[in-house]
Amino acid sequence: ISGFAVIIVGAVIEANYRTYLDFISSTYVSASSILIAVGVLIFVVGFFGCCGAVKENHCMVVTFAVLLCIIFIMQIGVGLASYVLRSDVENFLHHNMLVSMHNYTEERPGIYKTWNVIQHEHACCGTDNYTDWKETRFGEHINGVPEACCIQNTDNCGNDVFTKPPSELDYINKEGCFDKLKGDAKENVTILGGVAIGIGFVQLIGVAFACCLAKSLKRQYETV
């Protein structure tokens, strides 16, 4: 059950990170991937332990307890890493958002689509504000911002934005996307770490029960 829970949480976090794959260091994404792998391993090891308990096989139960201890250590590592990275997630996010803006072209569909989705769904433009696009190749080419920055998304609505004063730009979103994304990113990292550590301690109970069962089976064998 705990293995299945770990798989679900890891998959949910991974799905949420899909939005930020071009903005966040791969370190953050790999943490959720590791959690999914650990969940699958727990599921398999748990089945192995159940077989050992049903067959009352001392060797299988001991092996189950040892493997569960190893998994526990791995999960604690993922949890602690998530909390350590949590303090740096804003810096990573801000830096990588600025860098990715310079790669905003249709030839880079991942970044191109991500920026369009983010700016449209969060009603924002650029990293800190819309003027960030002025320093990019895309912004220099059209002297403006992507169409996704416009309140009403129409063809070429973002062109020549930088030739007009801010007071005439009520048709675009001027606020940056960083402030709207950083909360979601930190929340996901916190959930990831909390679940990994929480379920890890639940598994310690499984290790304790497995050790008690192994000890009981050993006494039975010695009696026989």
Coordinates of all heavy atoms in Angstrom, one line a residue, residues 93-132:
L93 N 14.7 28.7 -10.4 CA 13.6 29.0 -11.3 C 13.7 30.4 -12.0 O 13.6 30.5 -13.2 CB 12.3 29.0 -10.4 CG 11.0 29.3 -11.2 CD1 10.7 28.3 -12.3 CD2 9.8 29.4 -10.2
H94 N 14.1 31.4 -11.2 CA 14.3 32.7 -11.8 C 15.4 32.8 -12.8 O 15.2 33.3 -13.9 CB 14.6 33.7 -10.6 CG 14.7 35.2 -11.1 ND1 15.8 35.8 -11.5 CD2 13.7 36.1 -11.2 CE1 15.6 37.0 -11.8 NE2 14.3 37.2 -11.7
H95 N 16.5 32.2 -12.5 CA 17.7 32.1 -13.5 C 17.3 31.4 -14.8 O 17.5 31.9 -15.9 CB 18.9 31.5 -12.8 CG 20.0 31.2 -13.8 ND1 20.8 32.2 -14.2 CD2 20.5 30.1 -14.4 CE1 21.7 31.7 -15.0 NE2 21.5 30.4 -15.1
N96 N 16.7 30.2 -14.6 CA 16.4 29.4 -15.8 C 15.3 30.0 -16.6 O 15.2 29.8 -17.8 CB 16.1 28.0 -15.4 CG 17.3 27.3 -14.9 OD1 18.4 27.7 -15.1 ND2 17.1 26.2 -14.1
M97 N 14.4 30.7 -16.0 CA 13.3 31.4 -16.8 C 13.9 32.5 -17.6 O 13.6 32.6 -18.8 CB 12.3 32.0 -15.8 CG 11.3 31.0 -15.2 SD 10.1 31.7 -14.0 CE 9.0 32.6 -15.2
L98 N 14.8 33.3 -17.1 CA 15.5 34.3 -17.9 C 16.3 33.7 -19.0 O 16.3 34.2 -20.2 CB 16.4 35.1 -17.0 CG 15.7 36.1 -16.0 CD1 16.8 36.8 -15.1 CD2 15.0 37.2 -16.8
V99 N 17.0 32.6 -18.7 CA 17.8 32.0 -19.8 C 17.0 31.4 -20.9 O 17.3 31.5 -22.1 CB 18.7 30.9 -19.2 CG1 19.4 30.0 -20.2 CG2 19.8 31.5 -18.2
S100 N 15.9 30.7 -20.5 CA 15.0 30.1 -21.5 C 14.3 31.1 -22.4 O 14.0 30.8 -23.5 CB 13.9 29.2 -20.8 OG 13.0 30.0 -20.0
M101 N 14.1 32.3 -21.9 CA 13.5 33.4 -22.8 C 14.4 33.6 -24.0 O 13.8 34.0 -25.1 CB 13.3 34.7 -22.0 CG 12.2 34.6 -20.9 SD 12.1 36.2 -20.0 CE 11.4 37.2 -21.3
H102 N 15.7 33.5 -23.9 CA 16.6 33.7 -25.1 C 16.5 32.5 -26.1 O 17.0 32.7 -27.2 CB 18.0 33.9 -24.6 CG 18.2 35.1 -23.8 ND1 18.4 36.4 -24.4 CD2 18.2 35.4 -22.4 CE1 18.5 37.3 -23.4 NE2 18.4 36.7 -22.3
N103 N 15.9 31.4 -25.7 CA 15.7 30.3 -26.6 C 14.2 30.1 -27.0 O 13.8 29.1 -27.5 CB 16.1 29.0 -25.8 CG 17.6 29.0 -25.5 OD1 18.5 29.4 -26.3 ND2 18.0 28.6 -24.3
Y104 N 13.5 31.2 -26.9 CA 12.1 31.2 -27.3 C 11.9 31.3 -28.8 O 11.9 32.4 -29.3 CB 11.3 32.3 -26.6 CG 9.8 32.4 -26.9 CD1 8.9 31.6 -26.3 CD2 9.4 33.3 -27.9 CE1 7.6 31.7 -26.6 CE2 8.1 33.4 -28.2 CZ 7.1 32.6 -27.6 OH 5.8 32.7 -27.9
T105 N 11.9 30.2 -29.5 CA 11.7 30.1 -30.9 C 10.9 28.9 -31.2 O 10.8 27.9 -30.5 CB 13.0 30.1 -31.7 OG1 13.7 28.8 -31.4 CG2 14.0 31.2 -31.4
E106 N 10.3 28.9 -32.4 CA 9.5 27.7 -32.8 C 10.4 26.5 -33.1 O 9.9 25.4 -33.1 CB 8.7 28.0 -34.1 CG 7.6 29.1 -33.8 CD 6.7 29.3 -35.0 OE1 6.7 28.4 -35.9 OE2 5.9 30.2 -35.0
E107 N 11.7 26.8 -33.3 CA 12.7 25.7 -33.4 C 12.9 24.9 -32.1 O 13.5 23.8 -32.1 CB 14.0 26.2 -34.0 CG 13.9 26.6 -35.5 CD 13.1 27.8 -35.7 OE1 13.2 28.7 -34.9 OE2 12.4 27.9 -36.8
R108 N 12.6 25.6 -31.0 CA 12.7 24.9 -29.7 C 11.2 24.8 -29.1 O 10.8 25.5 -28.3 CB 13.5 25.8 -28.7 CG 14.9 26.1 -29.2 CD 15.8 24.8 -29.1 NE 15.9 24.5 -27.7 CZ 16.9 24.9 -26.9 NH1 17.8 25.8 -27.4 NH2 17.0 24.5 -25.7
P109 N 10.5 23.8 -29.7 CA 9.1 23.7 -29.3 C 8.8 23.5 -27.8 O 7.7 24.0 -27.4 CB 8.6 22.4 -30.1 CG 9.9 21.6 -30.4 CD 10.9 22.7 -30.5
G110 N 9.7 22.9 -27.1 CA 9.4 22.7 -25.7 C 9.3 24.0 -24.9 O 8.4 24.3 -24.2
I111 N 10.4 24.8 -25.1 CA 10.4 26.1 -24.5 C 9.3 27.1 -25.1 O 8.7 27.8 -24.3 CB 11.8 26.8 -24.7 CG1 12.9 26.0 -23.9 CG2 11.8 28.2 -24.2 CD1 14.3 26.4 -24.1
Y112 N 9.1 27.0 -26.4 CA 8.1 27.9 -27.0 C 6.7 27.6 -26.5 O 6.0 28.5 -26.1 CB 8.2 27.6 -28.5 CG 7.3 28.5 -29.4 CD1 7.8 29.8 -29.7 CD2 6.1 28.1 -29.8 CE1 7.0 30.6 -30.5 CE2 5.3 28.9 -30.6 CZ 5.8 30.2 -30.9 OH 5.0 31.0 -31.7
K113 N 6.4 26.3 -26.4 CA 5.0 26.0 -25.9 C 4.9 26.3 -24.4 O 3.9 26.8 -24.0 CB 4.8 24.5 -26.2 CG 3.4 24.0 -25.7 CD 3.2 22.5 -26.0 CE 1.8 22.1 -25.6 NZ 1.6 20.7 -25.8
T114 N 6.0 26.0 -23.6 CA 5.9 26.2 -22.2 C 5.7 27.7 -21.9 O 4.8 28.0 -21.1 CB 7.2 25.7 -21.5 OG1 7.4 24.3 -21.7 CG2 7.2 26.0 -20.0
W115 N 6.4 28.6 -22.5 CA 6.2 30.0 -22.3 C 4.8 30.4 -22.7 O 4.2 31.3 -22.0 CB 7.3 30.8 -23.0 CG 8.5 31.1 -22.1 CD1 9.7 30.6 -22.3 CD2 8.5 32.0 -21.0 NE1 10.5 31.1 -21.3 CE2 9.8 32.0 -20.5 CE3 7.5 32.7 -20.4 CZ2 10.2 32.7 -19.4 CZ3 7.9 33.5 -19.2 CH2 9.2 33.4 -18.8
N116 N 4.3 29.9 -23.8 CA 3.0 30.3 -24.3 C 1.9 29.9 -23.3 O 1.0 30.7 -23.0 CB 2.7 29.8 -25.7 CG 3.5 30.5 -26.8 OD1 4.0 31.6 -26.6 ND2 3.7 29.8 -27.9
V117 N 2.0 28.7 -22.8 CA 1.0 28.1 -21.9 C 1.1 28.9 -20.6 O 0.1 29.3 -20.0 CB 1.3 26.6 -21.6 CG1 0.4 26.1 -20.5 CG2 1.0 25.8 -22.9
I118 N 2.3 29.1 -20.0 CA 2.5 29.8 -18.8 C 1.9 31.2 -18.8 O 1.2 31.6 -17.9 CB 4.0 29.8 -18.3 CG1 4.5 28.4 -18.0 CG2 4.2 30.8 -17.2 CD1 3.8 27.8 -16.8
Q119 N 2.3 31.9 -19.8 CA 1.9 33.3 -19.9 C 0.4 33.5 -20.2 O -0.3 34.4 -19.6 CB 2.7 34.0 -21.1 CG 4.1 34.2 -20.8 CD 4.9 34.9 -21.8 OE1 5.7 35.8 -21.6 NE2 4.7 34.5 -23.1
H120 N -0.2 32.5 -20.9 CA -1.6 32.6 -21.2 C -2.4 32.2 -19.9 O -3.4 32.9 -19.5 CB -2.0 31.7 -22.3 CG -3.5 31.6 -22.6 ND1 -4.2 32.6 -23.1 CD2 -4.3 30.6 -22.4 CE1 -5.5 32.2 -23.2 NE2 -5.6 31.0 -22.8
E121 N -2.1 31.1 -19.3 CA -2.8 30.6 -18.2 C -2.7 31.4 -16.9 O -3.6 31.5 -16.1 CB -2.4 29.1 -17.9 CG -2.8 28.1 -18.9 CD -2.6 26.7 -18.5 OE1 -1.9 26.5 -17.5 OE2 -3.0 25.8 -19.3
H122 N -1.5 32.0 -16.7 CA -1.3 32.8 -15.5 C -1.4 34.3 -15.7 O -1.1 35.1 -14.8 CB 0.1 32.5 -14.9 CG 0.3 31.1 -14.4 ND1 0.0 30.8 -13.1 CD2 0.7 30.0 -15.0 CE1 0.2 29.5 -12.9 NE2 0.6 29.0 -14.0
A123 N -1.8 34.7 -17.0 CA -2.0 36.1 -17.3 C -0.8 36.9 -16.9 O -0.9 37.9 -16.1 CB -3.3 36.7 -16.6
C124 N 0.4 36.5 -17.4 CA 1.6 37.2 -17.1 C 2.5 37.4 -18.3 O 2.1 36.8 -19.4 CB 2.4 36.4 -16.0 SG 2.8 34.7 -16.4
C125 N 3.6 38.0 -18.2 CA 4.5 38.3 -19.4 C 5.9 38.4 -18.9 O 6.2 39.3 -18.1 CB 4.0 39.5 -20.1 SG 4.8 39.8 -21.7
G126 N 6.8 37.6 -19.4 CA 8.2 37.7 -19.1 C 8.5 37.0 -17.7 O 7.6 36.5 -17.1
T127 N 9.7 37.2 -17.2 CA 10.1 36.7 -15.9 C 9.7 37.6 -14.8 O 8.9 37.3 -13.9 CB 11.6 36.4 -15.9 OG1 11.9 35.4 -16.9 CG2 12.0 35.8 -14.5
D128 N 10.3 38.8 -14.8 CA 9.9 39.8 -13.8 C 8.8 40.7 -14.3 O 8.0 41.2 -13.5 CB 11.2 40.6 -13.4 CG 12.2 39.8 -12.8 OD1 11.9 39.0 -11.8 OD2 13.4 39.8 -13.2
N129 N 8.8 41.1 -15.6 CA 7.8 41.9 -16.2 C 7.9 41.8 -17.7 O 8.9 41.2 -18.2 CB 7.8 43.3 -15.7 CG 9.1 44.0 -15.9 OD1 9.6 44.1 -17.0 ND2 9.7 44.4 -14.8
Y130 N 7.1 42.4 -18.4 CA 7.0 42.3 -19.9 C 8.3 42.9 -20.5 O 8.7 42.4 -21.7 CB 5.8 43.0 -20.5 CG 5.9 44.5 -20.5 CD1 6.2 45.2 -21.7 CD2 5.6 45.3 -19.3 CE1 6.3 46.6 -21.7 CE2 5.7 46.7 -19.3 CZ 6.0 47.3 -20.5 OH 6.1 48.7 -20.5
T131 N 9.0 43.8 -19.9 CA 10.2 44.4 -20.5 C 11.4 43.4 -20.6 O 12.3 43.7 -21.4 CB 10.7 45.6 -19.7 OG1 11.0 45.2 -18.4 CG2 9.6 46.7 -19.7
D132 N 11.3 42.2 -20.0 CA 12.3 41.2 -20.1 C 12.5 40.7 -21.5 O 13.6 40.4 -22.0 CB 12.0 40.0 -19.2 CG 12.1 40.3 -17.7 OD1 12.9 41.2 -17.4 OD2 11.4 39.7 -16.9

